[in-house]
Amino acid sequence: MSARVLLYSFTPRCRPQLQPSVKKPKEPLALAVHFYSDNRCRVFRVSVRNSGRRDGRKVYADVKSESYEISEPRVKKAAKFASESSVVPWWEEFPKRWVIVILCFWAFLLCNMDRVNMSIAILPMSSEFNWNPSIVGLIQSSFFWGYLLTQIAGGIWADTVGGKAVLGFGVVWWSVATALTPVAAKLGLPFLLAVRAFMGIGEGVAMPAMNNILSKWVPVSERSRSLALVYSGMYLGSVTGLAFSPFLIHKFGWPSVFYSFGSLGTVWFTVWLSKAHSSPLEDPQLRAEEMKLIIANSVSKEPVKTIPWGLILSKPPVWALIVSHFCHNWGTFILLTWMPTYYNQVLKFNLTESGLFCVLPWLTMAFSANLGGWIADTLVSRGLSVTSVRKIMQTIGFLGPAFFLTQLSHVNSPAMAVICMACSQGTDAFSQSGLYSNHQDIAPRYSGVLLGLSNTAGVLAGVFGTAATGYILHHGSWDDVFKVSVGLYLMGTVVWNLFSTGEKILD
């Protein structure tokens, strides 16, 4: 079978110009295309030439086809080649965006491991260096000096430079500071305070950088569960740090905690450099279908060059984030910092029992954060508006802890009190699918800056709330402490439901 096909036609005005040195047309271009089917092979032979006219306005292709029998081994070889070419290893098909999420999860696990180890190591350290309680409190608070400094700065840096560089810097910085802690302690108190503040600087940029990079990589339909997984890394990091620190101190001495935990950051950083990119557009190995999915849902096309502070601070949903973050963290920080004291003074647990039960709320939060993320993404995928989902999840994150804290004054057994505390923190973790996901909803290009703003308020709530709790206990009771937290939870619920939104308000 043969046929003539018109490949190209053009007018004299746009006709291609030949080089003056070309006097004769080259030989016709010829090629053959083989198609295998069962035990036969069909060959299409194509010969390309011009029309033969002097003006050369048309190019034709003569196509001839023929078929013939082929041997069985050749068929098997061709089939084997086709089969092998279609098989892709599972790790290459695993979504790259979830590789980024998992790496962020490990970064936050290391973050809290390095943060909580001091709460255990401070006991043998204070004995060795003869520190009184005032000095111990000063050392514990020095972390927040640096942590406060880099919340907003980390957000600006992440939104302008990219989340990969900023998060990588943060992990390396705080890991080095962690490893240097024993050296600084032996040099003197001022050196130790400086190193702890430097550690806070590194951890302060982590949350804004993570928020920035996930806003570019994760579609809205997967946002809640991805953030829930990352934040559960913090909770599990606390569990890991509290579990392994006593063992390391007992076997190798208190400096081993800082050396071993700090060295893990270098391992993470090596993987991060080779696998992570600030944006899908920067990843040359990203598969086309995943790129299409991400770009259609989440990627901002132009990088941030300036931060419109006036516009950002003029939006009520931004202030809803800031106020709600403050109200949320007041109760969270109080429970997490004063919980061992509550277990010891009120429930009459010894120190070992107090430490054991302190792990329970972290485990509960890790589970319920991922449960809430799955519920939130399921509701979004089934058509419920993002605004409604964020309000529902954060309302649970406020009213759940408020309810269980009010029950503490009515329970009669330590077991029920522990259950109430665990349930309080478990429902609190639904906030990961509420206010913690909302920064990316309302301003994906400035999500790092927004998280820096709101988390600054959250850190201040932790600092003031922890200090206020000591004052309240000196003049009142634990019921008074819980009443303040419940009041702030209720205020946050009202503000959030009146002014928050899941729609984009800044482009």
Side-chain angles (χ1 to χ4, degrees), residues 34-43 66-71 75:
H34 297 251
F35 291 92
Y36 295 97
S37 176
D38 298 327
N39 291 334
R40 300 185 65 81
C41 176
R42 183 169 294 276
V43 183
E66 56 188 47
S67 62
Y68 55 86
E69 300 288 337
I70 56 177
S71 62
V75 173

Side-chain angles (χ1 to χ4, degrees), residues 1-7 45-52 58-64:
M1 182 182 70
S2 63
R4 176 174 292 181
V5 180
L6 178 63
L7 292 184
R45 303 185 186 278
V46 184
S47 178
V48 182
R49 61 183 177 82
N50 65 19
S51 63
K58 298 181 179 180
V59 178
Y60 290 91
D62 294 321
V63 183
K64 295 182 179 181

Side-chain angles (χ1 to χ4, degrees), residues 52-364:
R53 296 175 55 183
R54 296 182 65 183
D55 57 4
R57 299 179 185 177
K58 298 181 179 180
V59 178
Y60 290 91
D62 294 321
V63 183
K64 295 182 179 181
S65 68
E66 56 188 47
S67 62
Y68 55 86
E69 300 288 337
I70 56 177
S71 62
E72 185 69 21
R74 189 171 182 179
V75 173
K76 291 182 178 179
K77 183 177 181 181
K80 181 180 179 182
F81 175 79
S83 176
E84 289 178 349
S85 63
S86 62
V87 175
V88 179
W90 67 267
W91 57 85
E92 292 185 8
E93 292 185 336
F94 189 77
K96 185 61 180 290
R97 62 191 183 276
W98 281 95
V99 173
I100 301 295
V101 171
I102 292 172
L103 285 173
C104 289
F105 163 86
W106 282 107
F108 275 64
L109 187 140
L110 294 176
C111 176
N112 264 31
M113 282 179 62
D114 291 344
R115 187 187 300 188
V116 303
N117 59 10
M118 178 59 82
S119 63
I120 304 296
I122 196 72
L123 299 175
M125 290 174 71
S126 60
S127 177
E128 179 177 334
F129 297 109
N130 296 316
W131 292 333
N132 60 44
S134 298
I135 294 178
V136 170
L138 184 65
I139 294 170
Q140 294 279 44
S141 65
S142 60
F143 169 85
F144 290 101
W145 305 347
Y147 194 69
L148 271 173
L149 287 176
T150 52
Q151 291 296 314
I152 297 176
I156 297 172
W157 191 17
D159 288 342
T160 54
V161 175
K164 176 182 178 178
V166 179
L167 185 55
F169 160 82
V171 174
V172 171
W173 186 278
W174 86 58
S175 297
V176 171
T178 300
L180 290 177
T181 299
V183 178
K186 292 175 181 179
L187 289 175
L189 183 61
F191 293 96
L192 179 59
L193 296 176
V195 166
R196 292 295 294 176
F198 285 158
M199 182 182 171
I201 288 174
E203 295 204 3
V205 304
M207 289 180 67
M210 176 277 299
N211 217 39
N212 172 276
I213 198 169
L214 292 192
S215 71
K216 293 178 170 60
W217 273 96
V218 180
V220 175
S221 60
E222 300 174 357
R223 183 167 294 162
S224 295
R225 74 193 116 144
S226 66
L227 281 170
L229 178 62
V230 172
Y231 282 112
S232 67
M234 297 181 67
Y235 309 143
L236 294 176
S238 296
V239 172
T240 305
L242 292 171
F244 281 96
S245 292
F247 170 78
L248 290 172
I249 292 172
H250 179 71
K251 287 288 185 179
F252 308 105
W254 65 264
S256 65
V257 174
F258 301 100
Y259 293 142
S260 57
F261 286 13
S263 63
L264 294 175
T266 59
V267 179
W268 177 91
F269 184 67
T270 302
V271 180
W272 180 253
L273 280 182
S274 62
K275 297 296 184 181
H277 294 272
S278 292
S279 165
L281 300 175
E282 300 176 13
D283 191 342
Q285 298 180 339
L286 186 64
R287 292 182 294 120
E289 54 268 30
E290 187 173 8
M291 173 77 79
K292 182 179 179 181
L293 171 67
I294 297 172
I295 290 179
N297 288 276
S298 61
V299 172
S300 300
K301 296 182 179 179
E302 295 184 9
V304 174
K305 295 181 180 179
T306 58
I307 309 296
W309 291 108
L311 184 61
I312 290 175
L313 296 176
S314 68
K315 301 293 185 179
V318 171
W319 286 102
L321 265 177
I322 294 172
V323 173
S324 297
H325 209 146
F326 182 92
C327 295
H328 170 266
N329 275 28
W330 182 284
T332 300
F333 270 86
I334 286 176
L335 289 180
L336 295 181
T337 54
W338 285 93
M339 199 180 304
T341 304
Y342 175 80
Y343 286 160
N344 181 256
Q345 292 182 353
V346 178
L347 304 184
K348 306 302 180 183
F349 292 156
N350 60 40
L351 291 179
T352 302
E353 292 172 330
S354 297
L356 177 64
F357 285 113
C358 280
V359 172
L360 182 61
W362 291 107
L363 291 173
T364 307

Side-chain angles (χ1 to χ4, degrees), residues 379-396:
L379 292 175
V380 171
S381 65
R382 292 185 177 180
L384 194 63
S385 70
V386 177
T387 298
S388 298
V389 171
R390 297 290 177 250
K391 289 186 176 183
I392 291 171
M393 303 307 289
Q394 189 55 49
T395 299
I396 296 173

